[in-house]
Amino acid sequence: RTTTTREVYYVFVTHFRSQRECDSAILDVAKVLGVSRRSLGLSASPKGWFCGCVEITRRGTLPSGKDVSGTIDGTALSSIQGLPITREWIERDVEGRNEQGVEISVSSKGAKCILVIEKEGVFNRLSEERLYDRFPCIMVTGKGFPDLCTRALVKTLHEELNLPVLGLCDMNPYGISVLSVYFCAGDRMGVDGNYRYSVPIEWMGLRPTCFKEVHEKHKLPNTVFQALTDLDRKRMDSLTDEMSPYLDEDEKDEVAGEMKYKVELEALYWLGADFLGDWVFNKLKTRFE
């Protein structure tokens, strides 16, 4: 039997002060035992979403006898959120079957890349605008720091469809840290961390050099600029440390030398409701010309 980390918290609600404290204890147990969280029969509730130029095909029957065969089109959405990223992506074995014996396969519908988006709100906007119709891509969001299922899906898409992974985040150290988890999740996650589910993910934006070009041309209002906090500077020092594995040397120099303030992706809405989508489209088009 399995359960979610949320249910564990409610069962032992008098033992933990918060869900975060409960999750931290679970990570400690898994790390001490040297096993994955899944091996403990635990999983997080579905968090991430994806959509775009991809098809998911399932073939097989459940132990109950129900046939679940069928194909889901990532562009035929019933909501702007797209498709939920479930635990089947961490259950899937080398033959593509989940724990119930159902075969799960992925196929591209002409996608040129996987676009990982830090923020759910930005993902929803680009999904609603159907960015993938303008530029063929697969869009994924982990709604901030990704869970295991989201990381596993991105790795599956990257390896089996041979697609590059690009990251879109706020112009701040936190956003870059979110993207870095797709590359290396760190020791804290135990066997589920470090380079398990690792993918090479390019930092597409919003980069300081990108924002400088936009601001010089369009002159955004002063209200979009936010001061860096002590925590931000600590994150910057960690990201630009010579031992930090994610950013290359040029990117570290850009963060250290150019990131004098923080800017949210949503700041681009000041330039029009369609500006962000057009900017992302042009960045992708230029990248793959």
Side-chain angles (χ1 to χ4, degrees):
R1 291 182 181 272
T2 61
T3 188
T4 65
T5 54
R6 188 66 174 167
E7 189 172 30
V8 170
Y9 170 65
Y10 283 124
V11 169
F12 298 101
V13 70
T14 58
H15 293 67
F16 299 108
R17 289 170 292 184
S18 66
Q19 179 70 55
R20 176 176 293 184
E21 188 176 85
C22 177
D23 292 343
S24 180
I26 290 169
L27 288 177
D28 288 340
V29 170
K31 188 173 183 179
V32 167
L33 296 177
V35 299
S36 66
R37 190 171 59 185
R38 177 185 165 211
S39 298
L40 299 175
L42 297 171
S43 65
S45 299
K47 180 186 177 190
W49 298 88
F50 72 107
C51 65
C53 302
V54 63
E55 287 185 339
I56 310 298
T57 301
R58 296 177 178 83
R59 301 181 184 88
T61 58
L62 300 177
S64 63
K66 181 180 180 180
D67 188 350
V68 293
S69 300
T71 298
I72 298 175
D73 185 342
T75 64
L77 306 180
S78 57
S79 75
I80 59 173
Q81 289 179 311
L83 304 168
I85 302 174
T86 62
R87 59 181 294 175
E88 66 186 358
W89 300 105
I90 56 175
E91 294 176 348
R92 195 166 171 267
D93 62 21
V94 293
E95 295 180 348
R97 298 183 183 276
N98 66 14
E99 291 183 341
Q100 297 174 316
V102 177
E103 180 185 351
I104 306 168
S105 61
V106 296
S107 58
S108 169
K109 296 182 64 180
K112 293 184 178 181
C113 69
I114 303 160
L115 180 62
V116 170
I117 302 167
E118 174 199 355
K119 304 170 86 169
E120 182 184 20
V122 174
F123 172 88
N124 288 344
R125 174 63 69 93
L126 297 178
S127 172
E128 186 175 30
E129 294 177 359
R130 298 182 69 88
L131 171 69
Y132 44 79
D133 285 342
R134 300 176 64 190
F135 187 91
C137 63
I138 303 170
M139 294 166 40
V140 178
T141 183
K143 296 194 291 186
F145 284 103
D147 60 0
L148 287 175
C149 301
T150 302
R151 288 166 48 209
L153 170 67
V154 172
K155 185 175 180 65
T156 297
L157 296 174
H158 167 66
E159 291 189 342
E160 297 189 15
L161 302 182
N162 194 29
L163 294 174
V165 184
L166 282 67
L168 180 66
C169 66
D170 289 332
M171 196 190 84
N172 60 36
Y174 180 92
I176 303 172
S177 296
V178 168
L179 300 187
S180 72
V181 171
Y182 289 90
F183 178 70
C184 179
D187 293 333
R188 185 72 179 87
M189 295 289 291
V191 299
D192 289 324
N194 290 318
Y195 293 97
R196 188 180 188 188
Y197 305 129
S198 172
V199 295
I201 177 169
E202 300 176 29
W203 177 30
M204 185 180 82
L206 184 64
R207 296 174 63 154
T209 49
C210 298
F211 180 76
K212 184 178 180 180
E213 292 176 4
V214 172
H215 182 54
E216 288 180 348
K217 184 176 182 179
H218 299 283
K219 298 301 179 185
L220 283 149
N222 291 334
T223 52
V224 307
F225 298 93
Q226 303 173 57
L228 292 166
T229 65
D230 290 341
L231 179 58
D232 291 325
R233 297 185 188 282
K234 186 175 180 180
R235 282 187 185 273
M236 284 177 63
D237 290 341
S238 177
L239 288 165
T240 57
D241 185 270
E242 63 179 11
M243 299 301 293
S244 180
Y246 175 49
L247 300 176
D248 63 28
E249 290 307 310
D250 289 339
E251 291 169 337
K252 289 179 181 179
D253 289 343
E254 183 175 345
V255 171
E258 301 290 337
M259 192 172 286
K260 306 298 185 182
Y261 42 76
K262 300 184 292 186
V263 177
E264 308 280 334
L265 282 165
E266 289 86 348
L268 300 185
Y269 293 148
W270 280 93
L271 303 177
D274 298 328
F275 188 88
L276 176 60
D278 291 340
W279 180 82
V280 173
F281 167 74
N282 287 320
K283 291 293 290 184
L284 292 171
K285 184 179 178 183
T286 300
R287 164 64 175 77
F288 290 93
E289 281 182 345

